[in-house]
Structures are given as C-alpha cells and as structure tokens.
Amino acid sequence: VVNLGFSGSGVMELEMSEHLARIDASCYVLDCLWNMDMSGKRQSGQFRNRNVDENYEPFIRNLRAKRPDVPIVMAEQCDVFCGKPNRKDECIRALYEKLIGEGWKKLVYLPKTEMYVGDGEGTVDGCHPNDWGMMSMAKAFGKAVEEALKAK
C-alpha cells in the first residue's frame, strides 16, 4: 500500500496523474474531495486550480490512458453525517456514469453512505476520523478495492 497523503494539497493536478501512473499499482483509490472545491469558490492565490469539475476528469482519463488495466475507485467526500451527496459528490457521480456509459471497466464508485456507520461517533470533530471512524472507513474502502480488483 502506498498512501500519498498530501495534507490538503491533493487536488488532482494533471501532472500528478503522470507521477501516479509510474507506480506499479494493483488499484488506484481517488479520495481527494475534501481538498477540492467547485468552480467559483476560493479562486485566489494559493487556492487556484483546486476544482473538482475542472481537474477530476482530465486526471482520471490520463491515469487510465497510462494504466488501462488498473482498477480505479472513485470515492465521495465522506463525513460523519453521511448526508445527501454534496455538489462535489454529484460532480464525480455524473463523471462516473459518463465513463461507464463510454464503456469503462474496472471502475468502482464508493458513496459516502458506505464509509461511516452513521452513529455520529466516527470523528473527533465532525471531519477527522477517530479509531471508530477509521475502522468503518477501512471496511468500506477495503470492500470497494476488493470489488475493483475482481472487476473485469
């Protein structure tokens, strides 16, 4: 397992997909939504080029072009409340449906409702998972990766 945690800086720049494609991975898990925005938000200074609706599709297409046989998991933005999908979730869900419609295989979608048990005790602050939340997320991500690895 190679976990590239970028401490808020994982925003799916196209160049990063080039670097990830150099890793001989069995599966890629894309889980960057907490670090990103939608177009029109925080567009100045250090926050430019963080947009899901601008970065995600070129990133995933380039990664798939470089590693066509490697499964990819697309994860929604998890939160302790497991509420309805937010705009970022809706954006990547639409992209997922588009890619599946184009015939993409080995692509798995992980909704936030699978990530936390929903009891409100999964984080220390409503955002960052505690041990209980991490266990719940590990089960969800493990199941999604297992499904991705079995996909044809």
Side-chain angles (χ1 to χ4, degrees), residues 40-106:
K41 292 189 175 192
R42 293 201 286 182
Q43 291 294 307
S44 62
Q46 66 181 4
F47 296 115
R48 287 186 303 202
N49 301 320
R50 302 174 56 106
N51 298 320
V52 173
D53 50 336
E54 296 172 4
N55 291 9
Y56 207 115
E57 186 169 355
F59 182 97
I60 197 170
R61 285 187 183 280
N62 191 54
L63 188 58
R64 177 52 57 95
K66 302 284 183 184
R67 294 287 185 165
D69 297 322
V70 178
I72 299 173
V73 175
M74 299 171 69
E76 283 188 0
Q77 179 177 314
C78 67
D79 62 61
V80 71
F81 306 108
C82 294
K84 65 180 182 173
N86 62 34
R87 287 182 59 212
K88 293 184 270 184
D89 300 331
E90 291 167 352
C91 180
I92 69 160
R93 182 63 187 210
L95 176 58
Y96 170 79
E97 297 295 339
K98 177 180 173 181
L99 298 173
I100 293 297
E102 291 176 9
W104 281 40
K105 306 291 184 203
K106 299 183 181 184

Side-chain angles (χ1 to χ4, degrees), residues 6-35:
F6 296 104
S7 186
S9 298
V11 295
M12 303 183 90
E13 298 100 335
L14 185 63
E15 296 82 6
M16 200 54 172
S17 66
E18 293 284 332
H19 293 291
L20 288 177
R22 293 184 189 142
I23 297 171
D24 184 19
S26 299
C27 182
Y28 293 105
V29 177
L30 306 181
D31 181 26
C32 295
L33 296 186
W34 272 109
N35 302 326

Side-chain angles (χ1 to χ4, degrees), residues 25-27 71 73 106 108 143-152:
S26 299
C27 182
V73 175
K106 299 183 181 184
V108 173
K143 182 180 173 184
V145 168
E146 183 177 18
E147 181 183 340
L149 292 173
K150 290 180 180 177
K152 297 188 190 259

